[in-house]
Amino acid sequence: MNGADTAWIMVATALVLLMTLPGLALFYGGLVRARNVLSIFMQCFGLAALMSVLWLLGGYSIAFGEANAWWGGLARFGMLGVGPDTLKGTLPEILFFAFQMTFAIITPALIIGAFVERVNFAFVMLFSALWMFLVYAPVTHWIWGGGIMSDGGIWGEVGTRDFAGGIVVHETAALAALLLAIMIGPRRHRTTPPHNPGMVSMGAGLLWVGWFGFNGGSQLAADGGAAMAITVTHISAAAASLSWAAWERIKFGRSSLVGIVTGTIAGLASITPASGFVGPLEALVIGTVAGILCQEAVVLIRERIRIDDTLDVFAVHGVGGIFGTIMVAVFGHGSYVAQLGALVMVGVYTLALTWVIAKGVALIFPMRVDKEAETNGLDLSTHGERAYDMNS
């Protein structure tokens, strides 16, 4: 065991959990109507708790076990036989388990942005549980767990390069989000603006800081590689924030707070798969392009295709993650065959399994609340609470 590596990954684990609680909760919560903000918090907290338990009860084993190239098996169910001295590289395996658990928490939590303000809470919980076991964990094994897409796998000696989750996290979550947005249908009140842009900004700030653990921690060591990953992450986020705001200014004559912080997330998502391979100038290019590319993707999906992916999960996380994955090959750090092949294979698998899971869960719990509940807001109709009491 290396003490410095262990200490850093402990910090990184806390930072990645910070991304969901409270980062994503605040970011998403500020973007919805005031009558739905608690439903966002509830979904984020509920998923954090549920994914933690399920990661222990099989998720980690499927992702990082050694059964075969397609799935990891169940030998690590419940982390039986893993003690404080059991190692995974230079780290205690129980710490590696905890670090990867925070990724399993945020990935299904990203999906909820597509169907906020109209989804049935019970559907979210059961769908996310099955989706983590059947989509997230197997894909994690294929790319990070020594599976079919790693070095020496189906792409040959050079496997898929996905440093911190452009495919494993962002593509899978974003494609699932887009499909579910289509299946559940648009909101009845699509033109309502974000109720609290300040909350959105605070959430984005927490995500930005937490992303240092997301990308820097994926080095799994306290070394120069982790330092470079953190630095390029920051540069890409900064560049995308500026390019998004500048592009808004060119198109609309003004730059918005919600816009610039959305650009931040676009830059962070785009650098994620490349953060362990590129340098600062390459990160500057990735972030600058991502701010414009993801903004145009928002326009395409919202206004031209007319899909109510409410909080732009696919346009920001999906397009950003896919773009960053391709840029790994563009900058010569990976194989085009492995990068593009993984995007296609994982994409098809994610869409197919997401559809099957959603249809199956819908037989038990309806996807969508009724019209009255949607009009009154999910906070009161589903959870019996209000975020704001103006009379108190």
Side-chain angles (χ1 to χ4, degrees), residues 132-183:
M132 191 277 284
F133 279 131
L134 298 176
V135 178
Y136 177 78
V139 171
T140 300
H141 182 71
W142 296 349
I143 296 177
W144 290 344
I148 56 172
M149 298 187 193
S150 58
D151 293 350
I154 58 174
W155 312 126
E157 183 179 349
V158 178
T160 300
R161 297 286 183 260
D162 183 9
F163 187 71
I167 299 173
V168 175
V169 175
H170 293 290
E171 185 195 15
T172 58
L175 285 174
L178 187 68
L179 180 58
L180 287 170
I182 294 170
M183 294 176 73

mmCIF file of all heavy atoms in Angstrom, residues 132-183:
data_model
loop_
_atom_site.group_PDB
_atom_site.id
_atom_site.type_symbol
_atom_site.label_atom_id
_atom_site.label_comp_id
_atom_site.label_asym_id
_atom_site.label_seq_id
_atom_site.Cartn_x
_atom_site.Cartn_y
_atom_site.Cartn_z
ATOM 1 N N MET A 132 -28.276 0.219 -13.346
ATOM 2 C CA MET A 132 -26.902 0.143 -12.841
ATOM 3 C C MET A 132 -26.351 -1.269 -12.985
ATOM 4 O O MET A 132 -25.212 -1.465 -13.420
ATOM 5 C CB MET A 132 -26.859 0.600 -11.377
ATOM 6 C CG MET A 132 -25.431 0.815 -10.843
ATOM 7 S SD MET A 132 -24.625 -0.694 -10.288
ATOM 8 C CE MET A 132 -25.460 -0.944 -8.711
ATOM 9 N N PHE A 133 -27.156 -2.274 -12.642
ATOM 10 C CA PHE A 133 -26.701 -3.658 -12.739
ATOM 11 C C PHE A 133 -26.516 -4.117 -14.184
ATOM 12 O O PHE A 133 -25.567 -4.838 -14.489
ATOM 13 C CB PHE A 133 -27.701 -4.593 -12.049
ATOM 14 C CG PHE A 133 -27.554 -4.670 -10.561
ATOM 15 C CD1 PHE A 133 -28.662 -4.535 -9.735
ATOM 16 C CD2 PHE A 133 -26.319 -4.899 -9.966
ATOM 17 C CE1 PHE A 133 -28.533 -4.611 -8.353
ATOM 18 C CE2 PHE A 133 -26.189 -4.986 -8.586
ATOM 19 C CZ PHE A 133 -27.296 -4.843 -7.783
ATOM 20 N N LEU A 134 -27.433 -3.710 -15.065
ATOM 21 C CA LEU A 134 -27.473 -4.273 -16.412
ATOM 22 C C LEU A 134 -26.765 -3.424 -17.467
ATOM 23 O O LEU A 134 -26.399 -3.939 -18.525
ATOM 24 C CB LEU A 134 -28.928 -4.493 -16.841
ATOM 25 C CG LEU A 134 -29.723 -5.476 -15.978
ATOM 26 C CD1 LEU A 134 -31.172 -5.542 -16.433
ATOM 27 C CD2 LEU A 134 -29.086 -6.861 -16.007
ATOM 28 N N VAL A 135 -26.575 -2.153 -17.204
ATOM 29 C CA VAL A 135 -25.906 -1.282 -18.178
ATOM 30 C C VAL A 135 -24.594 -0.745 -17.619
ATOM 31 O O VAL A 135 -23.514 -1.019 -18.162
ATOM 32 C CB VAL A 135 -26.815 -0.110 -18.612
ATOM 33 C CG1 VAL A 135 -26.064 0.806 -19.586
ATOM 34 C CG2 VAL A 135 -28.093 -0.631 -19.256
ATOM 35 N N TYR A 136 -24.669 0.011 -16.527
ATOM 36 C CA TYR A 136 -23.463 0.688 -16.037
ATOM 37 C C TYR A 136 -22.364 -0.299 -15.636
ATOM 38 O O TYR A 136 -21.213 -0.176 -16.074
ATOM 39 C CB TYR A 136 -23.797 1.607 -14.860
ATOM 40 C CG TYR A 136 -22.548 2.254 -14.295
ATOM 41 C CD1 TYR A 136 -21.957 3.335 -14.948
ATOM 42 C CD2 TYR A 136 -21.927 1.755 -13.155
ATOM 43 C CE1 TYR A 136 -20.786 3.903 -14.468
ATOM 44 C CE2 TYR A 136 -20.762 2.319 -12.666
ATOM 45 C CZ TYR A 136 -20.193 3.390 -13.331
ATOM 46 O OH TYR A 136 -19.027 3.944 -12.861
ATOM 47 N N ALA A 137 -22.681 -1.269 -14.813
ATOM 48 C CA ALA A 137 -21.658 -2.196 -14.311
ATOM 49 C C ALA A 137 -21.012 -3.014 -15.438
ATOM 50 O O ALA A 137 -19.777 -3.125 -15.484
ATOM 51 C CB ALA A 137 -22.235 -3.099 -13.224
ATOM 52 N N PRO A 138 -21.783 -3.594 -16.376
ATOM 53 C CA PRO A 138 -21.128 -4.315 -17.471
ATOM 54 C C PRO A 138 -20.249 -3.428 -18.353
ATOM 55 O O PRO A 138 -19.143 -3.831 -18.727
ATOM 56 C CB PRO A 138 -22.313 -4.886 -18.272
ATOM 57 C CG PRO A 138 -23.419 -4.984 -17.288
ATOM 58 C CD PRO A 138 -23.250 -3.807 -16.388
ATOM 59 N N VAL A 139 -20.722 -2.232 -18.693
ATOM 60 C CA VAL A 139 -19.907 -1.336 -19.515
ATOM 61 C C VAL A 139 -18.624 -0.950 -18.772
ATOM 62 O O VAL A 139 -17.544 -0.867 -19.367
ATOM 63 C CB VAL A 139 -20.709 -0.080 -19.920
ATOM 64 C CG1 VAL A 139 -19.809 0.957 -20.583
ATOM 65 C CG2 VAL A 139 -21.845 -0.463 -20.866
ATOM 66 N N THR A 140 -18.739 -0.713 -17.482
ATOM 67 C CA THR A 140 -17.551 -0.430 -16.671
ATOM 68 C C THR A 140 -16.557 -1.573 -16.764
ATOM 69 O O THR A 140 -15.343 -1.364 -16.921
ATOM 70 C CB THR A 140 -17.946 -0.202 -15.201
ATOM 71 O OG1 THR A 140 -18.845 0.908 -15.121
ATOM 72 C CG2 THR A 140 -16.729 0.082 -14.344
ATOM 73 N N HIS A 141 -17.046 -2.800 -16.698
ATOM 74 C CA HIS A 141 -16.163 -3.964 -16.793
ATOM 75 C C HIS A 141 -15.502 -4.031 -18.164
ATOM 76 O O HIS A 141 -14.300 -4.320 -18.261
ATOM 77 C CB HIS A 141 -16.954 -5.244 -16.527
ATOM 78 C CG HIS A 141 -16.108 -6.481 -16.571
ATOM 79 N ND1 HIS A 141 -15.181 -6.784 -15.594
ATOM 80 C CD2 HIS A 141 -16.020 -7.485 -17.490
ATOM 81 C CE1 HIS A 141 -14.572 -7.925 -15.898
ATOM 82 N NE2 HIS A 141 -15.076 -8.363 -17.045
ATOM 83 N N TRP A 142 -16.261 -3.763 -19.211
ATOM 84 C CA TRP A 142 -15.703 -3.847 -20.557
ATOM 85 C C TRP A 142 -14.516 -2.909 -20.762
ATOM 86 O O TRP A 142 -13.549 -3.266 -21.424
ATOM 87 C CB TRP A 142 -16.771 -3.490 -21.590
ATOM 88 C CG TRP A 142 -17.937 -4.429 -21.630
ATOM 89 C CD1 TRP A 142 -18.045 -5.652 -21.018
ATOM 90 C CD2 TRP A 142 -19.173 -4.212 -22.308
ATOM 91 N NE1 TRP A 142 -19.272 -6.204 -21.278
ATOM 92 C CE2 TRP A 142 -19.991 -5.352 -22.064
ATOM 93 C CE3 TRP A 142 -19.677 -3.184 -23.091
ATOM 94 C CZ2 TRP A 142 -21.270 -5.469 -22.591
ATOM 95 C CZ3 TRP A 142 -20.953 -3.296 -23.622
ATOM 96 C CH2 TRP A 142 -21.743 -4.429 -23.375
ATOM 97 N N ILE A 143 -14.594 -1.714 -20.181
ATOM 98 C CA ILE A 143 -13.582 -0.690 -20.462
ATOM 99 C C ILE A 143 -12.573 -0.544 -19.329
ATOM 100 O O ILE A 143 -11.364 -0.423 -19.569
ATOM 101 C CB ILE A 143 -14.265 0.654 -20.763
ATOM 102 C CG1 ILE A 143 -15.098 0.528 -22.055
ATOM 103 C CG2 ILE A 143 -13.245 1.790 -20.891
ATOM 104 C CD1 ILE A 143 -15.881 1.764 -22.432
ATOM 105 N N TRP A 144 -13.026 -0.533 -18.079
ATOM 106 C CA TRP A 144 -12.137 -0.302 -16.940
ATOM 107 C C TRP A 144 -11.785 -1.567 -16.165
ATOM 108 O O TRP A 144 -10.826 -1.567 -15.404
ATOM 109 C CB TRP A 144 -12.779 0.691 -15.963
ATOM 110 C CG TRP A 144 -12.860 2.093 -16.465
ATOM 111 C CD1 TRP A 144 -12.173 2.638 -17.514
ATOM 112 C CD2 TRP A 144 -13.667 3.141 -15.928
ATOM 113 N NE1 TRP A 144 -12.505 3.955 -17.674
ATOM 114 C CE2 TRP A 144 -13.425 4.294 -16.704
ATOM 115 C CE3 TRP A 144 -14.562 3.219 -14.864
ATOM 116 C CZ2 TRP A 144 -14.058 5.507 -16.451
ATOM 117 C CZ3 TRP A 144 -15.196 4.420 -14.610
ATOM 118 C CH2 TRP A 144 -14.940 5.552 -15.392
ATOM 119 N N GLY A 145 -12.553 -2.613 -16.336
ATOM 120 C CA GLY A 145 -12.368 -3.807 -15.515
ATOM 121 C C GLY A 145 -11.613 -4.929 -16.193
ATOM 122 O O GLY A 145 -11.694 -6.090 -15.776
ATOM 123 N N GLY A 146 -10.874 -4.614 -17.273
ATOM 124 C CA GLY A 146 -10.126 -5.647 -17.986
ATOM 125 C C GLY A 146 -10.961 -6.450 -18.944
ATOM 126 O O GLY A 146 -10.577 -7.570 -19.343
ATOM 127 N N GLY A 147 -12.103 -5.895 -19.371
ATOM 128 C CA GLY A 147 -13.027 -6.615 -20.245
ATOM 129 C C GLY A 147 -12.707 -6.503 -21.712
ATOM 130 O O GLY A 147 -11.581 -6.183 -22.120
ATOM 131 N N ILE A 148 -13.728 -6.683 -22.527
ATOM 132 C CA ILE A 148 -13.542 -6.881 -23.969
ATOM 133 C C ILE A 148 -12.987 -5.666 -24.706
ATOM 134 O O ILE A 148 -12.417 -5.813 -25.788
ATOM 135 C CB ILE A 148 -14.882 -7.285 -24.625
ATOM 136 C CG1 ILE A 148 -15.962 -6.234 -24.332
ATOM 137 C CG2 ILE A 148 -15.315 -8.660 -24.172
ATOM 138 C CD1 ILE A 148 -17.238 -6.459 -25.086
ATOM 139 N N MET A 149 -13.120 -4.470 -24.144
ATOM 140 C CA MET A 149 -12.654 -3.281 -24.844
ATOM 141 C C MET A 149 -11.343 -2.732 -24.296
ATOM 142 O O MET A 149 -10.861 -1.698 -24.756
ATOM 143 C CB MET A 149 -13.722 -2.179 -24.789
ATOM 144 C CG MET A 149 -15.005 -2.560 -25.466
ATOM 145 S SD MET A 149 -16.182 -1.205 -25.563
ATOM 146 C CE MET A 149 -17.657 -2.095 -26.037
ATOM 147 N N SER A 150 -10.766 -3.402 -23.333
ATOM 148 C CA SER A 150 -9.490 -2.952 -22.782
ATOM 149 C C SER A 150 -8.347 -3.413 -23.681
ATOM 150 O O SER A 150 -8.574 -4.062 -24.718
ATOM 151 C CB SER A 150 -9.310 -3.491 -21.364
ATOM 152 O OG SER A 150 -9.379 -4.902 -21.358
ATOM 153 N N ASP A 151 -7.138 -3.079 -23.328
ATOM 154 C CA ASP A 151 -5.973 -3.472 -24.134
ATOM 155 C C ASP A 151 -5.935 -4.983 -24.304
ATOM 156 O O ASP A 151 -6.089 -5.739 -23.337
ATOM 157 C CB ASP A 151 -4.681 -3.013 -23.456
ATOM 158 C CG ASP A 151 -4.543 -1.498 -23.436
ATOM 159 O OD1 ASP A 151 -5.346 -0.821 -24.108
ATOM 160 O OD2 ASP A 151 -3.631 -0.991 -22.748
ATOM 161 N N GLY A 152 -5.733 -5.408 -25.562
ATOM 162 C CA GLY A 152 -5.709 -6.832 -25.864
ATOM 163 C C GLY A 152 -7.073 -7.438 -26.087
ATOM 164 O O GLY A 152 -7.191 -8.650 -26.314
ATOM 165 N N GLY A 153 -8.117 -6.615 -26.058
ATOM 166 C CA GLY A 153 -9.476 -7.095 -26.269
ATOM 167 C C GLY A 153 -9.870 -7.085 -27.736
ATOM 168 O O GLY A 153 -9.036 -7.277 -28.634
ATOM 169 N N ILE A 154 -11.121 -6.794 -28.011
ATOM 170 C CA ILE A 154 -11.637 -6.910 -29.383
ATOM 171 C C ILE A 154 -11.056 -5.873 -30.333
ATOM 172 O O ILE A 154 -11.112 -6.038 -31.545
ATOM 173 C CB ILE A 154 -13.175 -6.818 -29.402
ATOM 174 C CG1 ILE A 154 -13.651 -5.492 -28.791
ATOM 175 C CG2 ILE A 154 -13.799 -7.998 -28.691
ATOM 176 C CD1 ILE A 154 -15.140 -5.285 -28.913
ATOM 177 N N TRP A 155 -10.486 -4.780 -29.781
ATOM 178 C CA TRP A 155 -9.910 -3.753 -30.656
ATOM 179 C C TRP A 155 -8.421 -3.978 -30.910
ATOM 180 O O TRP A 155 -7.786 -3.183 -31.580
ATOM 181 C CB TRP A 155 -10.109 -2.360 -30.060
ATOM 182 C CG TRP A 155 -11.491 -2.060 -29.590
ATOM 183 C CD1 TRP A 155 -11.852 -1.617 -28.360
ATOM 184 C CD2 TRP A 155 -12.709 -2.164 -30.329
ATOM 185 N NE1 TRP A 155 -13.218 -1.445 -28.270
ATOM 186 C CE2 TRP A 155 -13.765 -1.785 -29.466
ATOM 187 C CE3 TRP A 155 -13.021 -2.568 -31.642
ATOM 188 C CZ2 TRP A 155 -15.102 -1.783 -29.871
ATOM 189 C CZ3 TRP A 155 -14.350 -2.571 -32.044
ATOM 190 C CH2 TRP A 155 -15.367 -2.179 -31.176
ATOM 191 N N GLY A 156 -7.871 -5.045 -30.359
ATOM 192 C CA GLY A 156 -6.454 -5.310 -30.549
ATOM 193 C C GLY A 156 -5.620 -4.863 -29.360
ATOM 194 O O GLY A 156 -6.120 -4.690 -28.245
ATOM 195 N N GLU A 157 -4.330 -4.669 -29.624
ATOM 196 C CA GLU A 157 -3.400 -4.352 -28.539
ATOM 197 C C GLU A 157 -3.747 -3.055 -27.831
ATOM 198 O O GLU A 157 -3.611 -2.936 -26.606
ATOM 199 C CB GLU A 157 -1.981 -4.275 -29.096
ATOM 200 C CG GLU A 157 -0.912 -4.029 -28.044
ATOM 201 C CD GLU A 157 0.482 -3.992 -28.638
ATOM 202 O OE1 GLU A 157 0.639 -4.350 -29.819
ATOM 203 O OE2 GLU A 157 1.411 -3.592 -27.915
ATOM 204 N N VAL A 158 -4.179 -2.041 -28.606
ATOM 205 C CA VAL A 158 -4.557 -0.752 -28.027
ATOM 206 C C VAL A 158 -6.069 -0.720 -27.867
ATOM 207 O O VAL A 158 -6.807 -0.639 -28.850
ATOM 208 C CB VAL A 158 -4.082 0.420 -28.907
ATOM 209 C CG1 VAL A 158 -4.524 1.745 -28.298
ATOM 210 C CG2 VAL A 158 -2.569 0.383 -29.054
ATOM 211 N N GLY A 159 -6.541 -0.781 -26.637
ATOM 212 C CA GLY A 159 -7.967 -0.787 -26.371
ATOM 213 C C GLY A 159 -8.543 0.614 -26.279
ATOM 214 O O GLY A 159 -7.892 1.610 -26.601
ATOM 215 N N THR A 160 -9.773 0.689 -25.825
ATOM 216 C CA THR A 160 -10.463 1.974 -25.698
ATOM 217 C C THR A 160 -9.824 2.805 -24.597
ATOM 218 O O THR A 160 -9.552 2.317 -23.503
ATOM 219 C CB THR A 160 -11.947 1.744 -25.372
ATOM 220 O OG1 THR A 160 -12.533 0.976 -26.424
ATOM 221 C CG2 THR A 160 -12.683 3.067 -25.228
ATOM 222 N N ARG A 161 -9.601 4.076 -24.902
ATOM 223 C CA ARG A 161 -9.050 5.008 -23.923
ATOM 224 C C ARG A 161 -10.182 5.889 -23.394
ATOM 225 O O ARG A 161 -10.692 6.753 -24.104
ATOM 226 C CB ARG A 161 -7.961 5.881 -24.571
ATOM 227 C CG ARG A 161 -6.744 5.104 -25.070
ATOM 228 C CD ARG A 161 -5.891 4.659 -23.891
ATOM 229 N NE ARG A 161 -4.675 3.968 -24.324
ATOM 230 C CZ ARG A 161 -4.517 2.646 -24.343
ATOM 231 N NH1 ARG A 161 -5.538 1.877 -23.965
ATOM 232 N NH2 ARG A 161 -3.390 2.096 -24.716
ATOM 233 N N ASP A 162 -10.571 5.629 -22.174
ATOM 234 C CA ASP A 162 -11.606 6.428 -21.508
ATOM 235 C C ASP A 162 -11.140 6.657 -20.079
ATOM 236 O O ASP A 162 -11.427 5.864 -19.192
ATOM 237 C CB ASP A 162 -12.959 5.707 -21.540
ATOM 238 C CG ASP A 162 -14.073 6.535 -20.918
ATOM 239 O OD1 ASP A 162 -13.846 7.719 -20.623
ATOM 240 O OD2 ASP A 162 -15.179 5.996 -20.714
ATOM 241 N N PHE A 163 -10.418 7.744 -19.867
ATOM 242 C CA PHE A 163 -9.697 7.912 -18.618
ATOM 243 C C PHE A 163 -10.619 7.968 -17.414
ATOM 244 O O PHE A 163 -10.381 7.317 -16.409
ATOM 245 C CB PHE A 163 -8.830 9.175 -18.668
ATOM 246 C CG PHE A 163 -7.922 9.325 -17.484
ATOM 247 C CD1 PHE A 163 -6.828 8.492 -17.329
ATOM 248 C CD2 PHE A 163 -8.158 10.294 -16.514
ATOM 249 C CE1 PHE A 163 -5.992 8.599 -16.229
ATOM 250 C CE2 PHE A 163 -7.324 10.413 -15.411
ATOM 251 C CZ PHE A 163 -6.232 9.566 -15.267
ATOM 252 N N ALA A 164 -11.700 8.767 -17.502
ATOM 253 C CA ALA A 164 -12.534 8.961 -16.307
ATOM 254 C C ALA A 164 -14.030 8.874 -16.594
ATOM 255 O O ALA A 164 -14.832 9.214 -15.722
ATOM 256 C CB ALA A 164 -12.200 10.300 -15.638
ATOM 257 N N GLY A 165 -14.426 8.450 -17.803
ATOM 258 C CA GLY A 165 -15.851 8.194 -17.975
ATOM 259 C C GLY A 165 -16.572 8.880 -19.112
ATOM 260 O O GLY A 165 -17.794 9.062 -19.037
ATOM 261 N N GLY A 166 -15.900 9.264 -20.183
ATOM 262 C CA GLY A 166 -16.605 9.841 -21.327
ATOM 263 C C GLY A 166 -17.614 8.871 -21.914
ATOM 264 O O GLY A 166 -18.705 9.261 -22.328
ATOM 265 N N ILE A 167 -17.238 7.591 -21.939
ATOM 266 C CA ILE A 167 -18.141 6.544 -22.414
ATOM 267 C C ILE A 167 -18.877 5.909 -21.244
ATOM 268 O O ILE A 167 -20.109 5.832 -21.228
ATOM 269 C CB ILE A 167 -17.367 5.460 -23.196
ATOM 270 C CG1 ILE A 167 -16.677 6.049 -24.421
ATOM 271 C CG2 ILE A 167 -18.297 4.327 -23.606
ATOM 272 C CD1 ILE A 167 -15.754 5.086 -25.145
ATOM 273 N N VAL A 168 -18.113 5.465 -20.255
ATOM 274 C CA VAL A 168 -18.683 4.703 -19.134
ATOM 275 C C VAL A 168 -19.750 5.504 -18.386
ATOM 276 O O VAL A 168 -20.792 4.960 -18.016
ATOM 277 C CB VAL A 168 -17.557 4.272 -18.170
ATOM 278 C CG1 VAL A 168 -18.147 3.597 -16.936
ATOM 279 C CG2 VAL A 168 -16.581 3.341 -18.870
ATOM 280 N N VAL A 169 -19.499 6.794 -18.182
ATOM 281 C CA VAL A 169 -20.436 7.629 -17.434
ATOM 282 C C VAL A 169 -21.299 8.474 -18.364
ATOM 283 O O VAL A 169 -22.527 8.358 -18.381
ATOM 284 C CB VAL A 169 -19.683 8.538 -16.434
ATOM 285 C CG1 VAL A 169 -20.647 9.510 -15.742
ATOM 286 C CG2 VAL A 169 -18.943 7.696 -15.406
ATOM 287 N N HIS A 170 -20.673 9.332 -19.158
ATOM 288 C CA HIS A 170 -21.434 10.361 -19.871
ATOM 289 C C HIS A 170 -22.223 9.822 -21.061
ATOM 290 O O HIS A 170 -23.386 10.198 -21.252
ATOM 291 C CB HIS A 170 -20.493 11.483 -20.298
ATOM 292 C CG HIS A 170 -19.931 12.240 -19.139
ATOM 293 N ND1 HIS A 170 -20.698 13.077 -18.366
ATOM 294 C CD2 HIS A 170 -18.689 12.254 -18.584
ATOM 295 C CE1 HIS A 170 -19.960 13.586 -17.396
ATOM 296 N NE2 HIS A 170 -18.736 13.091 -17.505
ATOM 297 N N GLU A 171 -21.632 8.970 -21.875
ATOM 298 C CA GLU A 171 -22.397 8.444 -23.006
ATOM 299 C C GLU A 171 -23.549 7.576 -22.542
ATOM 300 O O GLU A 171 -24.681 7.716 -23.024
ATOM 301 C CB GLU A 171 -21.506 7.646 -23.958
ATOM 302 C CG GLU A 171 -22.280 7.203 -25.206
ATOM 303 C CD GLU A 171 -21.608 6.130 -26.028
ATOM 304 O OE1 GLU A 171 -20.657 5.483 -25.529
ATOM 305 O OE2 GLU A 171 -22.037 5.908 -27.175
ATOM 306 N N THR A 172 -23.293 6.675 -21.606
ATOM 307 C CA THR A 172 -24.363 5.774 -21.152
ATOM 308 C C THR A 172 -25.509 6.561 -20.520
ATOM 309 O O THR A 172 -26.682 6.349 -20.851
ATOM 310 C CB THR A 172 -23.833 4.739 -20.149
ATOM 311 O OG1 THR A 172 -23.248 5.418 -19.028
ATOM 312 C CG2 THR A 172 -22.795 3.831 -20.783
ATOM 313 N N ALA A 173 -25.176 7.477 -19.618
ATOM 314 C CA ALA A 173 -26.221 8.253 -18.942
ATOM 315 C C ALA A 173 -26.987 9.121 -19.925
ATOM 316 O O ALA A 173 -28.221 9.234 -19.856
ATOM 317 C CB ALA A 173 -25.608 9.116 -17.838
ATOM 318 N N ALA A 174 -26.277 9.753 -20.857
ATOM 319 C CA ALA A 174 -26.922 10.690 -21.772
ATOM 320 C C ALA A 174 -27.828 9.992 -22.776
ATOM 321 O O ALA A 174 -28.919 10.486 -23.086
ATOM 322 C CB ALA A 174 -25.857 11.508 -22.508
ATOM 323 N N LEU A 175 -27.402 8.854 -23.288
ATOM 324 C CA LEU A 175 -28.259 8.125 -24.224
ATOM 325 C C LEU A 175 -29.500 7.582 -23.512
ATOM 326 O O LEU A 175 -30.607 7.615 -24.062
ATOM 327 C CB LEU A 175 -27.475 6.985 -24.878
ATOM 328 C CG LEU A 175 -26.480 7.398 -25.950
ATOM 329 C CD1 LEU A 175 -25.674 6.196 -26.422
ATOM 330 C CD2 LEU A 175 -27.190 8.051 -27.144
ATOM 331 N N ALA A 176 -29.314 7.086 -22.304
ATOM 332 C CA ALA A 176 -30.473 6.633 -21.531
ATOM 333 C C ALA A 176 -31.419 7.797 -21.265
ATOM 334 O O ALA A 176 -32.647 7.655 -21.360
ATOM 335 C CB ALA A 176 -30.008 6.008 -20.214
ATOM 336 N N ALA A 177 -30.855 8.954 -20.949
ATOM 337 C CA ALA A 177 -31.676 10.136 -20.673
ATOM 338 C C ALA A 177 -32.474 10.548 -21.898
ATOM 339 O O ALA A 177 -33.669 10.860 -21.815
ATOM 340 C CB ALA A 177 -30.780 11.283 -20.210
ATOM 341 N N LEU A 178 -31.820 10.574 -23.042
ATOM 342 C CA LEU A 178 -32.500 10.981 -24.274
ATOM 343 C C LEU A 178 -33.644 10.029 -24.611
ATOM 344 O O LEU A 178 -34.753 10.463 -24.959
ATOM 345 C CB LEU A 178 -31.495 11.036 -25.427
ATOM 346 C CG LEU A 178 -32.011 11.607 -26.745
ATOM 347 C CD1 LEU A 178 -32.315 13.095 -26.616
ATOM 348 C CD2 LEU A 178 -30.990 11.378 -27.868
ATOM 349 N N LEU A 179 -33.390 8.739 -24.510
ATOM 350 C CA LEU A 179 -34.425 7.761 -24.818
ATOM 351 C C LEU A 179 -35.594 7.877 -23.845
ATOM 352 O O LEU A 179 -36.769 7.841 -24.249
ATOM 353 C CB LEU A 179 -33.838 6.352 -24.774
ATOM 354 C CG LEU A 179 -34.812 5.208 -25.069
ATOM 355 C CD1 LEU A 179 -35.442 5.364 -26.444
ATOM 356 C CD2 LEU A 179 -34.101 3.859 -24.949
ATOM 357 N N LEU A 180 -35.310 8.040 -22.561
ATOM 358 C CA LEU A 180 -36.382 8.163 -21.577
ATOM 359 C C LEU A 180 -37.177 9.450 -21.772
ATOM 360 O O LEU A 180 -38.398 9.470 -21.555
ATOM 361 C CB LEU A 180 -35.807 8.113 -20.169
ATOM 362 C CG LEU A 180 -35.338 6.729 -19.712
ATOM 363 C CD1 LEU A 180 -34.575 6.830 -18.403
ATOM 364 C CD2 LEU A 180 -36.509 5.764 -19.577
ATOM 365 N N ALA A 181 -36.500 10.525 -22.177
ATOM 366 C CA ALA A 181 -37.221 11.769 -22.454
ATOM 367 C C ALA A 181 -38.228 11.576 -23.582
ATOM 368 O O ALA A 181 -39.338 12.127 -23.552
ATOM 369 C CB ALA A 181 -36.228 12.874 -22.813
ATOM 370 N N ILE A 182 -37.843 10.798 -24.581
ATOM 371 C CA ILE A 182 -38.756 10.507 -25.693
ATOM 372 C C ILE A 182 -39.907 9.621 -25.213
ATOM 373 O O ILE A 182 -41.072 9.850 -25.537
ATOM 374 C CB ILE A 182 -37.988 9.825 -26.844
ATOM 375 C CG1 ILE A 182 -36.960 10.791 -27.445
ATOM 376 C CG2 ILE A 182 -38.958 9.338 -27.925
ATOM 377 C CD1 ILE A 182 -36.002 10.130 -28.421
ATOM 378 N N MET A 183 -39.577 8.611 -24.419
ATOM 379 C CA MET A 183 -40.598 7.661 -23.965
ATOM 380 C C MET A 183 -41.602 8.304 -23.017
ATOM 381 O O MET A 183 -42.800 8.013 -23.086
ATOM 382 C CB MET A 183 -39.919 6.469 -23.281
ATOM 383 C CG MET A 183 -39.065 5.615 -24.207
ATOM 384 S SD MET A 183 -38.194 4.278 -23.335
ATOM 385 C CE MET A 183 -39.564 3.158 -22.999
#
